[in-house]
Amino acid sequence: MAKSVAETIYVLNGPNLNLLGTREPETYGHATLADVERLCAVTAAPFGLEADCRQSNREGELIDFIHEAHAKKAVGIIINAGAYSHTSIALHDALMAVKIPTVEVHISNIHARENFRDHSFTARAAFATLSGFGIDGYRLAINGLAAKIGMKAKA
Ligand code: DHK
């Protein structure tokens, strides 16, 4: 039987998330970005999904990643745009333009923090948001995304 080619999901992390592990551990925990990316890869695999993980501290580069996801026919996006979630209409517009099923993740509970974190532009372009589960939010998001796009885990 022919081996099926894995579908790709993009996992996009925005500014300062490269500092996970050392950045405000009381808020973001002790796991590193490499831990997050490993978690995404092992969570995606049973669904026949490959997690293409990117991080950038630059808004324009994150937009380019979203365009690239579209060009490469990615079947889903998990995005934690960091502080750009709260400011970037351009990232919102990029997600709206590509129409790829998207889940927004925040490690911390943005609604229990400063008022300026309470609103997310990117969340408006996502079909679901997870906030406050720590890095487990990425695992939950991939499971939710897989269910949404009809991918079943293989035994
Ligand atoms: C990460 C950030 O960098 C913040 O700017 C957001 C988010 C929250 C998180 O919880 O993952 O406000």
Side-chain angles (χ1 to χ4, degrees):
M1 201 168 79
K3 197 167 177 277
S4 58
V5 178
E7 306 263 29
T8 302
I9 61 169
Y10 272 51
V11 179
L12 304 180
N13 281 295
N16 301 308
L17 291 162
N18 54 313
L19 300 180
L20 282 177
T22 55
R23 172 193 186 198
E24 299 174 80
E26 64 287 0
T27 300
Y28 296 104
H30 293 278
T32 64
L33 181 62
D35 294 331
V36 169
E37 295 185 347
R38 259 191 302 276
L39 174 63
C40 290
V42 301
T43 305
F47 294 103
L49 295 169
E50 197 167 291
D52 192 332
C53 301
R54 312 289 180 88
Q55 188 275 331
S56 179
N57 293 321
R58 286 172 290 282
E59 186 178 18
E61 191 169 24
L62 290 164
I63 292 168
D64 288 343
F65 291 156
I66 293 167
H67 295 176
E68 184 188 306
H70 182 246
K72 299 250 173 87
K73 300 189 171 21
V75 295
I77 295 175
I78 307 293
I79 187 165
N80 181 351
Y84 288 141
S85 316
H86 316 301
T87 62
S88 180
I89 296 170
L91 272 171
H92 164 276
D93 286 357
L95 291 168
M96 293 300 288
V98 300
K99 294 190 173 66
I100 298 172
T102 296
V103 183
E104 169 155 298
V105 173
H106 294 289
I107 294 166
S108 64
N109 180 358
I110 57 171
H111 305 295
R113 298 181 63 193
E114 303 93 329
N115 286 344
F116 60 79
R117 294 184 205 276
D118 204 34
H119 175 264
S120 167
F121 285 103
T122 42
R124 295 188 64 122
F127 75 81
T129 302
L130 285 154
S131 176
F133 286 103
I135 71 159
D136 204 36
Y138 291 86
R139 184 184 65 78
L140 296 167
I142 291 172
N143 277 280
L145 174 63
K148 181 79 172 178
I149 63 176
M151 305 293 286
K152 298 216 176 355
K154 289 163 193 80

